[in-house]
Structures are given as C-alpha cells and as structure tokens.
Short mmCIF file of all heavy atoms in Angstrom, two decimals:
data_model
loop_
_atom_site.label_atom_id
_atom_site.label_comp_id
_atom_site.label_asym_id
_atom_site.label_seq_id
_atom_site.Cartn_x
_atom_site.Cartn_y
_atom_site.Cartn_z
N ILE A 1 -17.91 2.90 21.64
CA ILE A 1 -17.86 4.15 22.40
C ILE A 1 -16.70 5.00 21.87
O ILE A 1 -15.58 4.52 21.75
CB ILE A 1 -17.67 3.88 23.89
CG1 ILE A 1 -18.84 3.06 24.42
CG2 ILE A 1 -17.51 5.20 24.66
CD1 ILE A 1 -18.62 2.54 25.83
N ILE A 2 -16.98 6.26 21.57
CA ILE A 2 -15.97 7.21 21.13
C ILE A 2 -15.78 8.22 22.25
O ILE A 2 -16.74 8.77 22.77
CB ILE A 2 -16.42 7.96 19.86
CG1 ILE A 2 -16.78 7.00 18.74
CG2 ILE A 2 -15.36 8.96 19.43
CD1 ILE A 2 -15.67 6.12 18.29
N VAL A 3 -14.53 8.48 22.62
CA VAL A 3 -14.20 9.48 23.62
C VAL A 3 -13.32 10.52 22.95
O VAL A 3 -12.29 10.19 22.37
CB VAL A 3 -13.46 8.86 24.83
CG1 VAL A 3 -13.11 9.93 25.85
CG2 VAL A 3 -14.31 7.76 25.47
N VAL A 4 -13.74 11.78 23.02
CA VAL A 4 -13.02 12.89 22.39
C VAL A 4 -12.67 13.91 23.47
O VAL A 4 -13.51 14.25 24.31
CB VAL A 4 -13.89 13.57 21.31
CG1 VAL A 4 -13.17 14.71 20.66
CG2 VAL A 4 -14.37 12.57 20.28
N SER A 5 -11.45 14.39 23.45
CA SER A 5 -11.05 15.46 24.37
C SER A 5 -10.00 16.33 23.72
O SER A 5 -9.43 15.98 22.69
CB SER A 5 -10.53 14.88 25.68
OG SER A 5 -9.32 14.21 25.49
N ASP A 6 -9.74 17.47 24.35
CA ASP A 6 -8.69 18.38 23.89
C ASP A 6 -8.83 18.75 22.43
O ASP A 6 -7.85 18.76 21.69
CB ASP A 6 -7.31 17.80 24.17
CG ASP A 6 -7.08 17.57 25.65
OD1 ASP A 6 -7.34 18.51 26.43
OD2 ASP A 6 -6.67 16.47 26.03
N SER A 7 -10.04 19.03 22.00
CA SER A 7 -10.27 19.34 20.59
C SER A 7 -9.91 20.78 20.23
O SER A 7 -9.64 21.06 19.07
CB SER A 7 -11.73 19.06 20.22
OG SER A 7 -12.60 19.60 21.18
N HIS A 8 -9.91 21.68 21.19
CA HIS A 8 -9.43 23.04 21.01
C HIS A 8 -10.01 23.75 19.78
O HIS A 8 -9.29 24.44 19.05
CB HIS A 8 -7.92 23.09 20.95
CG HIS A 8 -7.26 22.57 22.20
ND1 HIS A 8 -7.20 23.31 23.36
CD2 HIS A 8 -6.69 21.37 22.47
CE1 HIS A 8 -6.59 22.60 24.29
NE2 HIS A 8 -6.27 21.41 23.77
N GLY A 9 -11.27 23.53 19.50
CA GLY A 9 -11.92 24.24 18.40
C GLY A 9 -11.58 23.74 17.02
O GLY A 9 -11.92 24.37 16.02
N ASN A 10 -10.92 22.60 16.93
CA ASN A 10 -10.50 22.06 15.63
C ASN A 10 -11.62 21.18 15.06
O ASN A 10 -11.50 19.96 15.02
CB ASN A 10 -9.20 21.27 15.79
CG ASN A 10 -8.60 20.90 14.47
OD1 ASN A 10 -9.14 21.20 13.40
ND2 ASN A 10 -7.47 20.24 14.51
N TRP A 11 -12.68 21.81 14.59
CA TRP A 11 -13.86 21.09 14.10
C TRP A 11 -13.57 20.33 12.80
O TRP A 11 -14.26 19.39 12.47
CB TRP A 11 -15.02 22.03 13.91
CG TRP A 11 -15.50 22.64 15.19
CD1 TRP A 11 -15.01 22.43 16.44
CD2 TRP A 11 -16.57 23.56 15.35
NE1 TRP A 11 -15.71 23.15 17.35
CE2 TRP A 11 -16.67 23.86 16.70
CE3 TRP A 11 -17.44 24.16 14.46
CZ2 TRP A 11 -17.63 24.74 17.22
CZ3 TRP A 11 -18.39 25.03 14.96
CH2 TRP A 11 -18.48 25.31 16.34
N ALA A 12 -12.56 20.72 12.06
CA ALA A 12 -12.21 20.03 10.81
C ALA A 12 -11.86 18.57 11.10
O ALA A 12 -12.13 17.69 10.27
CB ALA A 12 -11.07 20.74 10.11
N VAL A 13 -11.28 18.32 12.24
CA VAL A 13 -10.94 16.94 12.61
C VAL A 13 -12.21 16.11 12.77
O VAL A 13 -12.28 14.95 12.39
CB VAL A 13 -10.11 16.90 13.91
CG1 VAL A 13 -9.95 15.50 14.44
CG2 VAL A 13 -8.76 17.55 13.68
N PHE A 14 -13.26 16.71 13.33
CA PHE A 14 -14.53 16.01 13.50
C PHE A 14 -15.08 15.56 12.14
O PHE A 14 -15.64 14.48 12.03
CB PHE A 14 -15.56 16.87 14.21
CG PHE A 14 -15.18 17.26 15.62
CD1 PHE A 14 -15.68 18.43 16.17
CD2 PHE A 14 -14.36 16.46 16.40
CE1 PHE A 14 -15.35 18.78 17.47
CE2 PHE A 14 -14.03 16.81 17.70
CZ PHE A 14 -14.52 17.98 18.23
N ASP A 15 -14.95 16.41 11.15
CA ASP A 15 -15.42 16.04 9.81
C ASP A 15 -14.61 14.86 9.24
O ASP A 15 -15.17 14.00 8.57
CB ASP A 15 -15.33 17.23 8.86
CG ASP A 15 -16.37 18.30 9.18
OD1 ASP A 15 -17.43 17.96 9.75
OD2 ASP A 15 -16.11 19.47 8.85
N LYS A 16 -13.34 14.81 9.57
CA LYS A 16 -12.50 13.72 9.06
C LYS A 16 -12.86 12.37 9.69
O LYS A 16 -12.67 11.34 9.06
CB LYS A 16 -11.03 14.02 9.33
CG LYS A 16 -10.48 15.14 8.48
CD LYS A 16 -9.03 15.40 8.76
CE LYS A 16 -8.50 16.53 7.90
NZ LYS A 16 -7.09 16.80 8.15
N ILE A 17 -13.37 12.41 10.91
CA ILE A 17 -13.71 11.14 11.58
C ILE A 17 -15.23 10.96 11.69
O ILE A 17 -15.71 10.20 12.52
CB ILE A 17 -13.03 11.04 12.97
CG1 ILE A 17 -13.45 12.17 13.90
CG2 ILE A 17 -11.52 10.99 12.81
CD1 ILE A 17 -12.97 11.99 15.32
N ASP A 18 -15.95 11.63 10.85
CA ASP A 18 -17.41 11.57 10.87
C ASP A 18 -17.94 10.13 10.74
O ASP A 18 -18.88 9.74 11.41
CB ASP A 18 -18.00 12.45 9.77
CG ASP A 18 -19.49 12.64 9.92
OD1 ASP A 18 -19.92 13.13 10.98
OD2 ASP A 18 -20.22 12.27 8.99
N ARG A 19 -17.30 9.33 9.91
CA ARG A 19 -17.72 7.94 9.74
C ARG A 19 -17.64 7.17 11.06
O ARG A 19 -18.51 6.37 11.38
CB ARG A 19 -16.86 7.25 8.69
CG ARG A 19 -17.26 5.81 8.40
CD ARG A 19 -16.30 5.11 7.44
NE ARG A 19 -14.91 5.09 7.88
CZ ARG A 19 -14.43 4.24 8.81
NH1 ARG A 19 -15.20 3.36 9.36
NH2 ARG A 19 -13.15 4.28 9.14
N ILE A 20 -16.62 7.47 11.83
CA ILE A 20 -16.47 6.81 13.14
C ILE A 20 -17.60 7.24 14.07
O ILE A 20 -18.16 6.42 14.79
CB ILE A 20 -15.09 7.13 13.74
CG1 ILE A 20 -14.00 6.53 12.84
CG2 ILE A 20 -14.98 6.60 15.17
CD1 ILE A 20 -12.60 6.97 13.21
N PHE A 21 -17.93 8.53 14.06
CA PHE A 21 -19.06 9.00 14.86
C PHE A 21 -20.35 8.31 14.43
O PHE A 21 -21.15 7.91 15.27
CB PHE A 21 -19.24 10.50 14.73
CG PHE A 21 -18.20 11.33 15.44
CD1 PHE A 21 -17.78 12.54 14.92
CD2 PHE A 21 -17.66 10.94 16.66
CE1 PHE A 21 -16.85 13.32 15.58
CE2 PHE A 21 -16.72 11.70 17.32
CZ PHE A 21 -16.32 12.91 16.78
N LEU A 22 -20.56 8.18 13.16
CA LEU A 22 -21.79 7.56 12.65
C LEU A 22 -21.91 6.11 13.11
O LEU A 22 -23.01 5.63 13.43
CB LEU A 22 -21.82 7.59 11.11
CG LEU A 22 -22.13 8.94 10.49
CD1 LEU A 22 -21.88 8.91 9.00
CD2 LEU A 22 -23.56 9.35 10.78
N GLU A 23 -20.80 5.39 13.16
CA GLU A 23 -20.81 3.98 13.52
C GLU A 23 -20.85 3.74 15.02
O GLU A 23 -21.08 2.60 15.46
CB GLU A 23 -19.57 3.29 12.94
CG GLU A 23 -19.56 3.24 11.43
CD GLU A 23 -18.25 2.71 10.87
OE1 GLU A 23 -17.33 2.43 11.66
OE2 GLU A 23 -18.17 2.57 9.64
N SER A 24 -20.64 4.77 15.82
CA SER A 24 -20.57 4.59 17.27
C SER A 24 -21.96 4.56 17.89
O SER A 24 -22.95 5.04 17.32
CB SER A 24 -19.76 5.72 17.88
OG SER A 24 -20.48 6.94 17.83
N ASP A 25 -22.02 3.98 19.08
CA ASP A 25 -23.25 3.96 19.85
C ASP A 25 -23.32 5.10 20.86
O ASP A 25 -24.40 5.61 21.18
CB ASP A 25 -23.37 2.62 20.61
CG ASP A 25 -23.48 1.47 19.65
OD1 ASP A 25 -24.46 1.43 18.88
OD2 ASP A 25 -22.55 0.62 19.62
#
C-alpha cells in the first residue's frame, strides 16, 4: 500500500517513484 499526501502539484516526484507505484497493490 502506498499513501501519498501533501504533494502540492509536484508531479515530478511521482515520476521519480513510478516504480514504487507500479509494484503497489
């Protein structure tokens, strides 16, 4: 499980952790 908060429009961070998103359920 991945929990994300307080991202404040910083989508570049999402790209950096994309592998983690892919591996999550």
Side-chain angles (χ1 to χ4, degrees):
I1 299 170
I2 305 298
V3 179
V4 180
S5 68
D6 299 311
S7 47
H8 299 284
N10 190 359
W11 295 0
V13 171
F14 297 153
D15 289 334
K16 289 181 181 180
I17 61 171
D18 192 58
R19 182 185 57 79
I20 296 170
F21 287 145
L22 286 169
E23 294 174 356
S24 71
D25 296 297

